[in-house]
Amino acid sequence: MRNSVKKYLSEKFNRDVVIEIPKERSFGHFATPIAFSLAKELKKSPIIIAENLVKEFVNHSFFAKVEALKGYLNFTLSSDFLSSHANESLIAGENFGRNREKTEKILLEFVSANPTGPLHIGHARGAIYGDTLLKIGRHLGYKIDSEYYINDAGRQINLLGLSIFVIGNIEVLGREMKLPEEFYRGDYIIDLAREALLKFGESIFNDLNHDENISKLSHWGKDEMLIVIKNNLKAVDIEFDKYISEAELYSDWNRSLEKLKNNNGVYEVNGKLLLKSTNGGDDHDRVIVRENGIPTYLAGDIIYHNFKFERDYNKYINIWGADHHGYISRVKSAIDFLGYDSSKLEVLLTQMVSILKDGQPYKMSKRRGNFVLMNDVVDEVGSDPLRFIFASKTPDTSLQFDLNDLMVEDSSNPVYYINYAHARIDSLINKSSFSKSEIRQANLNNISDENRDLLFQALRLPEILEDSFNSRQTQKLADYLKNLASNYHSFYNSSIIIGSNYEKELLKLSLVVANTIRVGLKILGIEAKYRM
RNA sequence: GCGUCCUUAGCUCAGAUGGAUAGAGCAACGCCCUUCUAAGGCGUCGGUCACACGUUCGAAUCGUGUAGGGCGUACCA
């Protein structure tokens, strides 16, 4: 709707026209401050310009009313316009908002947590934010592939094996042994050690210097962790198109390195190879191959990004935790030296999360890792509220919330609140003596102004999705659904629907609202409830 | 120090490419079930948008600076 109005006005005035939604309802559905920008060129007061412009909109099919107010042009949409959109939305059903076919191909990488432990709550934020963006984008017709990059090569995997070995000795076999500071810890390592004992027998815990044993534990442990991670994700309904293994890509290292060298992106100092990452704005150049010939962590990212760009997408989006922001300049400079356009890579950061329960910092009971596990939270509050809270907050501010707030079953919990509106509508439809098809055929041309505003709001989903995706701000969709539900509850309370002279019309309006809620929630990864 | 994200009501957070009186939920206090789900609605209270200067017809929004906080600043991942 907004786009068609914007397009129409832009063509009419032969310039880009700013369209906004006035906060004050009596000002109409859309408004434009165009007279202010024309004032300078025409050297006339915006108020007079606006009054003159109004005259050009008499008997227009889009608008029931166009008026000039303090220099603004305010547009009230016509019932014809709204009611034809309402019909389109009901016909589209679950595809409401999907009408546009985009050609842009996007590769979206997110989570990519190391397979050395279960996902924690920070990962959950990135996972849900990324998956929500993915769902919005796909609904809008973008071709998006999702990937999880597994850091399954390098020291951290070896460290996982060592940690299982040492903790197994201490906690499972009751032996005396020192646990070095940098080792992984937490109940999940003990669980792994117990399973390892069953699988490999006690002998695997006998010799710390036995490389084969550690290697066995490392690789097996990594595979187990990957299963755990995939289960953590599945619990909030997230699945990736592809999992890319660093270890499998490693054979491509020489090819990537050649490219960097050919583009003059590396140099040698004391037997080490450095990447000229200062080109991308980094503080200093970074080592990519050590003196002993072993590539650093950054090398893996270089290979992976080479592999990404060889597959020719229009855009690459990475979602990283804020603690990785220092990596952006390194990876971007590497992409440039690989011979690709680093501006095609967009890195989105999610800030830290802290959790309260009963107003107190949430600590895992009986767990000795320092972070809150994603799985514990999902077990406690369920997938829907967690998905909603992460989708409803801007990713670039640190976030704190109380688990109790997510478990409450009243209007303070947006998931319940929105579902309740949806369930109420279904209940009305069932109570009515009219059939659904009779209701759908009702004519919405003569509904009241207030009800027309509700209809207008329910039909805004497509433009909200566009805005939400383009700005990468999923909370716009979440907020929109909450507001729509709120307005529906108001509507519900202010008029009796069943038995009214306008029963069919009011129910049709309700159906439009319900469809928008259902589609919107689905995109947020939540199935709307029909009964509560 | 440098980089980066942030600072809006007592609390948790929204505020569209700068625009018309700054928004919601919680908390507090009132009111509304002889009516379709009161798991709801309506209302009151509450803000020099951290601070200063600047750009603009117009700034919570843009720029510069100051103060405060998170994160990062490894030949660790």
Side-chain angles (χ1 to χ4, degrees):
Chain A
M1 288 192 302
R2 184 194 179 119
N3 281 341
S4 44
V5 170
K6 184 182 171 93
K7 196 173 161 224
Y8 171 76
L9 291 178
S10 295
E11 280 169 10
K12 186 172 179 64
F13 295 119
N14 198 21
R15 63 171 61 215
D16 192 42
V17 174
V18 174
I19 303 287
E20 45 192 63
I21 313 252
K23 283 169 223 159
E24 174 62 47
R25 301 192 106 183
S26 65
F27 291 169
H29 299 120
F30 293 115
T32 177
I34 187 169
F36 290 93
S37 32
L38 286 172
K40 233 183 270 172
E41 299 167 33
L42 302 178
K43 303 221 156 85
K44 274 196 258 177
S45 126
I47 294 171
I48 293 172
I49 295 173
E51 279 166 2
N52 287 332
L53 290 177
V54 164
K55 294 170 190 156
E56 301 185 27
F57 292 96
V58 278
N59 292 329
H60 195 281
S61 65
F62 281 14
F63 311 116
K65 192 171 68 175
V66 181
E67 57 182 2
L69 189 64
K70 290 196 250 175
Y72 288 86
L73 277 188
N74 293 337
F75 301 91
T76 300
L77 294 170
S78 69
S79 298
D80 279 356
F81 183 83
L82 284 169
S83 97
S84 72
H85 276 83
N87 288 331
E88 283 169 24
S89 88
L90 290 177
I91 290 165
E94 63 180 20
N95 291 317
F96 180 42
R98 204 191 278 281
N99 41 18
R100 282 248 188 111
E101 272 298 306
K102 316 265 181 187
T103 51
E104 207 172 7
K105 275 182 69 189
I106 300 171
L107 181 60
L108 177 63
E109 181 213 333
F110 58 112
V111 190
S112 297
N114 289 344
T116 52
L119 298 180
H120 57 69
I121 196 68
H123 293 132
R125 184 180 197 177
I128 288 168
Y129 173 61
D131 191 57
T132 305
L133 217 48
L134 176 76
K135 286 184 159 78
I136 296 173
R138 281 189 177 156
H139 194 86
L140 289 171
Y142 290 99
K143 309 279 176 277
I144 310 180
D145 292 325
S146 66
E147 279 186 7
Y148 184 124
Y149 175 59
I150 311 164
N151 285 109
D152 54 359
R155 272 181 60 176
Q156 78 277 11
I157 297 302
N158 192 245
L159 198 58
L160 176 66
L162 288 168
S163 305
I164 297 170
F165 181 94
V166 172
I167 288 184
N169 268 286
I170 299 170
E171 300 288 339
V172 181
L173 299 172
R175 298 171 179 164
E176 291 271 324
M177 205 175 274
K178 260 204 168 153
L179 181 67
E181 189 57 37
E182 72 272 22
F183 277 35
Y184 298 108
R185 58 201 70 214
D187 279 5
Y188 75 96
I189 299 282
I190 302 175
D191 293 342
L192 282 175
R194 285 211 185 92
E195 283 173 51
L197 182 65
L198 293 175
K199 187 171 171 68
F200 300 110
E202 198 178 319
S203 62
I204 202 157
F205 287 105
N206 283 344
D207 185 0
L208 183 56
N209 297 316
H210 196 296
D211 287 348
E212 203 181 309
N213 280 352
I214 299 302
S215 164
K216 251 190 211 165
L217 284 175
S218 299
H219 288 95
W220 168 82
K222 178 257 297 176
D223 289 339
E224 290 294 305
M225 277 304 107
L226 218 46
I227 293 169
V228 168
I229 287 170
K230 286 180 183 176
N231 283 335
N232 289 169
L233 291 170
K234 209 168 186 182
V236 293
D237 198 29
I238 294 177
E239 276 181 80
F240 283 84
D241 295 329
K242 272 193 187 143
Y243 289 83
I244 305 293
S245 154
E246 179 184 12
E248 285 171 26
L249 284 181
Y250 242 100
S251 52
D252 270 358
W253 173 230
N254 286 333
R255 220 154 48 80
S256 299
L257 190 56
E258 277 313 301
K259 286 188 181 179
L260 295 178
K261 282 179 177 167
N262 290 340
N263 291 309
N264 205 18
V266 291
Y267 60 96
E268 212 179 309
V269 175
N270 301 332
K272 306 167 226 180
L273 215 53
L274 280 84
L275 174 74
K276 291 181 183 167
S277 56
T278 44
N279 267 41
D282 200 1
D283 296 344
H284 47 268
D285 293 338
R286 304 285 163 173
V287 174
I288 53 173
V289 182
R290 302 177 180 91
E291 250 175 308
N292 59 14
I294 298 175
T296 63
Y297 180 76
L298 186 55
D301 269 314
I302 294 174
I303 304 168
Y304 178 41
H305 281 85
N306 183 52
F307 177 57
K308 278 186 179 180
F309 276 77
E310 279 177 343
R311 285 176 289 163
D312 203 30
Y313 286 86
N314 301 99
K315 193 167 215 18
Y316 301 86
I317 300 178
N318 291 1
I319 296 171
W320 287 346
D323 53 341
H324 282 68
H325 81 256
Y327 247 72
I328 298 173
S329 56
R330 294 172 220 180
V331 170
K332 284 206 165 202
S333 62
I335 290 168
D336 287 330
F337 286 124
L338 286 166
Y340 299 107
D341 177 5
S342 67
S343 71
K344 284 186 179 174
L345 174 68
E346 180 182 339
V347 180
L348 304 172
L349 301 174
T350 55
Q351 296 289 326
M352 302 293 125
V353 180
S354 59
I355 290 197
L356 302 175
K357 188 168 184 192
D358 303 317
Q360 300 299 314
Y362 182 75
K363 295 250 169 65
M364 292 177 297
S365 54
K366 300 182 196 166
R367 303 244 176 203
R368 273 169 298 162
N370 293 328
F371 33 74
V372 177
L373 294 184
M374 173 176 179
N375 204 242
D376 288 353
V377 177
V378 175
D379 282 351
E380 200 142 2
V381 306
S383 170
D384 291 357
L386 193 66
R387 285 202 66 122
F388 195 91
I389 190 149
F390 283 135
S392 67
K393 307 293 175 190
T394 176
D396 47 28
T397 177
S398 51
L399 170 65
Q400 184 179 50
F401 61 90
D402 196 308
L403 287 185
N404 285 356
D405 294 345
L406 300 191
M407 293 190 277
V408 178
E409 306 199 345
D410 64 24
S411 62
S412 68
N413 183 341
V415 178
Y416 270 82
Y417 187 71
I418 297 167
N419 268 321
Y420 187 34
H422 186 262
R424 274 181 151 173
I425 294 170
D426 195 60
S427 164
L428 287 177
I429 300 294
N430 289 332
K431 278 225 162 65
S432 173
S433 50
F434 294 110
S435 71
K436 251 190 188 172
S437 64
E438 283 175 303
I439 294 168
R440 282 161 169 267
Q441 278 161 26
N443 185 328
L444 294 183
N445 283 333
N446 295 312
I447 55 176
S448 72
D449 286 358
E450 279 162 20
N451 293 344
R452 193 170 53 180
D453 288 345
L454 177 61
L455 179 61
F456 168 69
Q457 202 196 3
L459 293 173
R460 291 192 60 213
L461 180 71
E463 60 206 52
I464 299 293
L465 292 173
E466 290 280 354
D467 190 22
S468 205
F469 187 77
N470 290 336
S471 61
R472 320 290 189 226
Q473 301 278 306
T474 58
Q475 79 273 15
K476 290 181 180 179
L477 174 57
D479 280 354
Y480 166 72
L481 293 176
K482 208 161 57 176
N483 284 329
L484 179 59
S486 168
N487 287 336
Y488 189 78
H489 285 305
S490 273
F491 161 78
Y492 181 94
N493 272 272
S494 66
S495 44
I496 306 235
I497 295 161
I498 303 294
S500 143
N501 289 336
Y502 304 102
E503 180 172 329
K504 275 193 285 190
E505 289 76 10
L506 299 179
L507 286 175
K508 182 171 179 180
L509 170 58
S510 302
L511 275 182
V512 173
V513 172
N515 187 56
T516 294
I517 289 178
R518 203 158 48 241
V519 173
L521 283 181
K522 178 98 192 231
I523 292 171
L524 291 177
I526 298 168
E527 286 295 330
K529 288 194 163 56
Y530 286 86
R531 203 131 309 172
M532 298 181 72

